Amino acid sequence: MLKKGFVFSAASLLILSACSGQVAQNPGDSPKPAQTKEPVELVVYSTAATSEEEFKQKFTDPIEKQFPEIKLKYIKKGTGTNIDELVSAGQHIDLYYESVNFFHTMTRYGLATDMSDLIKKHNVDISAFEPTMIDYARAMSGSGIYGLPVSTENVILFYNKDIFDKFGVSYPKNGMTWNEIHDLAKKLTRNEGGKQYLGFVASPAHTLRANQYSLTFLDPKTDKATINANEKWKQVYQTYYIEGSTDAGYKAVMGTLKNKLPYKDAFLKDRNLAMFAYLSQLDWAAGGAEGMNWDIASLPTFSDLPGVGSSAYPFYWGVTAQSKHKDEAMAVIKYLTGKEYQTKQVRGGTMTTLKDDAIKKQFGEDSKHKDKNLSAVFHNKYAPLPAKSMVEGDAQPAYENAVHEAALGTADLNTLFRTIEETANKAAESAKAKK
């Protein structure tokens, strides 16, 4: 059966085979490198610190089954194996993957190479991907493209049905607005039997990076903080962090947490948090929520951005500049982004990077989460992924640390934003000076 986006003509197959030493399989299949006497070893690294067990299950086993002549060597991030240490030690890497900071890392450590010719040579259909993810890859790769998105996440709303039931409040639904969610949160932020319940918390790092207005911490052209250059930042802080934290009991809980917003423990362990905006990693909730009646809904939307959720949070894979096996590495990426692999991963609960609605509809069907409201994950459109400064990550702490102070209300936003601007600019300047 021919797969859309992966159809080869007979002539192109002969050319590809002659040029790269690859043998064509059935029409539409990813090309496999020709069998050799000695297997080809591809070294894979990521700053994501994926466990060896998860890497084997998600990548090694299916890839080596698809390509028997390829053996993967996975180097896990850890003590002595950070990216700067590996590069300094001369360790070669064939394939690198990371989330949205992928392009910063590839560029900073000299790993980036334009994959455009490889993508064309291996007949990878770029139009099959979600456009925002490809637009971001191009924007961050100069005139080329350093990586392709293999999997993604977005920000959704997790909620504890037990708390809603306790207080007789209706559950959140897909398509709700932020005003509606905050109305629910106010009904649930209360002290009952000596226990303080909290209506809503947003994960600061993830909601900042993937915010619905596609705001960046720094202007990518000037590397200067944008906090006072765009009025939408006030709406982001007010909606995500301030609106839900006005109750005195809520602030008292923050006091016990060293003046920080509650986080995962409030939802999974203490179970006094009703709603939590977090990445669509369903396994993290299932892993710590045994005995909790939880579910999910789409991220609430702004009235001036109807139907727009967070930006995507994709994991990109790229062939490195130092790889001596670029064709084999590209064949792996083509396989990982193909419909066969993507469908299997989606059915297991991993979000696809393809725009194919037929694949999206199968999300979680083979997972232990199939009783949840899985339509929430793809309910919203992705906000655009904006081009970012190469020192964007260095400015993030200035924005993220201020979230907690904003929630406490110890400083007005104008004062707080001036501090963010000064701190972010200094961090960006310092990072640039070290390059």
Side-chain angles (χ1 to χ4, degrees):
M1 178 178 176
L2 293 179
K3 297 182 179 180
K4 183 179 178 183
F6 298 101
V7 181
F8 293 79
S9 69
S12 63
L13 281 171
L14 289 173
I15 293 171
L16 178 60
S17 179
C19 293
S20 64
Q22 292 181 324
V23 178
Q25 307 304 309
N26 294 325
D29 285 350
S30 297
K32 296 182 180 182
Q35 293 289 338
T36 59
K37 293 182 180 179
E38 295 295 329
V40 172
E41 181 183 77
L42 297 180
V43 177
V44 186
Y45 182 77
S46 174
T47 57
T50 309
S51 71
E52 294 180 1
E53 294 76 15
E54 182 181 357
F55 186 88
K56 183 177 186 299
Q57 184 268 323
K58 291 188 71 173
F59 303 119
T60 302
D61 289 348
I63 289 170
E64 292 186 355
K65 181 179 180 181
Q66 180 73 10
F67 304 103
E69 64 287 344
I70 291 178
K71 300 301 176 186
L72 297 185
K73 177 182 177 181
Y74 171 54
I75 301 178
K76 182 178 180 294
K77 175 187 176 183
T79 303
T81 56
N82 289 314
I83 184 66
D84 55 338
E85 295 171 314
L86 293 180
V87 171
S88 296
Q91 170 66 55
H92 87 275
I93 299 168
D94 295 289
L95 286 161
Y96 181 81
Y97 74 91
E98 191 183 356
S99 61
V100 290
N101 287 327
F102 168 90
F103 300 94
H104 302 81
T105 305
M106 289 282 275
T107 302
R108 180 173 291 184
Y109 294 101
L111 299 177
T113 187
D114 182 9
M115 291 167 50
S116 298
D117 289 343
L118 285 170
I119 289 170
K120 183 177 181 180
K121 180 179 180 180
H122 288 258
N123 284 351
V124 177
D125 182 11
I126 293 294
S127 68
F129 293 92
E130 286 284 355
T132 64
M133 302 180 200
I134 296 300
D135 290 345
Y136 180 70
R138 292 195 185 283
M140 298 301 293
S141 304
S143 59
I145 186 165
Y146 297 158
L148 292 176
V150 168
S151 64
T152 192
E153 298 164 349
N154 61 358
V155 181
I156 60 174
L157 190 69
F158 290 82
Y159 66 95
N160 183 336
K161 297 172 78 171
D162 293 330
I163 296 177
F164 282 83
D165 291 342
K166 180 180 181 66
F167 298 119
V169 177
S170 299
Y171 302 144
K173 301 179 294 185
N174 292 348
M176 296 185 78
T177 65
W178 279 110
N179 287 339
E180 291 172 322
I181 287 298
H182 287 310
D183 286 343
L184 292 181
K186 289 174 183 176
K187 297 174 182 177
L188 298 164
T189 302
R190 55 202 290 180
N191 195 296
E192 185 76 14
K195 183 173 183 177
Q196 179 65 48
Y197 290 90
L198 310 172
F200 171 78
V201 172
S203 169
H206 303 110
T207 48
L208 282 172
R209 290 179 197 160
N211 70 83
Q212 288 157 287
Y213 286 111
S214 302
L215 302 172
T216 58
F217 304 135
L218 300 174
D219 183 320
K221 295 179 180 179
T222 65
D223 296 328
K224 297 297 184 182
T226 63
I227 189 71
N228 287 310
N230 194 317
E231 281 294 315
K232 290 300 182 183
W233 272 121
K234 288 186 177 179
Q235 196 165 346
V236 164
Y237 274 72
Q238 184 69 39
T239 303
Y240 292 169
Y241 318 116
I242 299 174
E243 189 66 30
S245 63
T246 57
D247 183 85
Y250 194 114
K251 294 184 189 300
V253 171
M254 290 186 66
T256 66
L257 299 172
K258 298 181 180 179
N259 294 331
K260 300 288 186 182
L261 278 168
Y263 199 53
K264 294 178 184 179
D265 282 354
F267 190 78
L268 295 178
K269 290 176 62 177
D270 302 332
R271 302 192 180 180
N272 63 332
L273 174 58
M275 295 179 286
F276 186 39
Y278 189 69
L279 290 178
S280 54
Q281 301 172 349
L282 302 189
D283 282 342
W284 83 265
E290 185 176 354
M292 181 202 295
N293 190 11
W294 64 275
D295 210 332
I296 59 175
S298 61
L299 189 70
T301 58
F302 290 100
S303 59
D304 60 340
L305 287 176
V308 177
S310 74
S311 62
Y313 216 86
F315 276 79
Y316 290 88
W317 282 61
V319 179
T320 72
Q322 59 186 218
S323 176
K324 296 180 180 179
H325 306 289
K326 288 183 170 61
D327 276 309
E328 289 84 355
M330 187 67 231
V332 167
I333 293 177
K334 178 174 182 177
Y335 168 68
L336 294 178
T337 57
K339 286 188 177 182
E340 179 185 348
Y341 180 84
Q342 288 285 309
T343 299
K344 183 176 180 181
Q345 293 301 304
V346 163
R347 292 183 66 87
T350 298
M351 291 179 69
T352 183
T353 56
L354 303 180
K355 61 183 181 183
D356 192 319
D357 288 336
I359 294 179
K360 292 179 182 179
K361 289 177 181 177
Q362 299 178 59
F363 182 74
E365 289 188 2
D366 295 335
S367 77
K368 56 189 174 184
H369 313 302
K370 56 187 175 183
D371 61 326
K372 305 301 180 186
N373 175 34
L374 298 181
S375 64
V377 173
F378 290 109
H379 181 81
N380 289 326
K381 293 181 293 185
Y382 291 116
L385 267 166
K388 298 179 180 180
S389 162
M390 285 299 174
V391 288
E392 173 89 356
D394 297 280
Q396 179 174 323
Y399 286 75
E400 188 174 341
N401 293 338
V403 161
H404 309 285
E405 194 171 348
L408 279 173
T410 53
D412 68 272
L413 278 186
N414 290 330
T415 301
L416 197 58
F417 280 16
R418 285 194 294 270
T419 301
I420 292 173
E421 182 175 38
E422 181 181 347
T423 307
N425 285 340
K426 286 182 178 178
E429 291 167 6
S430 177
K432 290 167 67 175
K434 293 177 182 177
K435 286 188 174 184

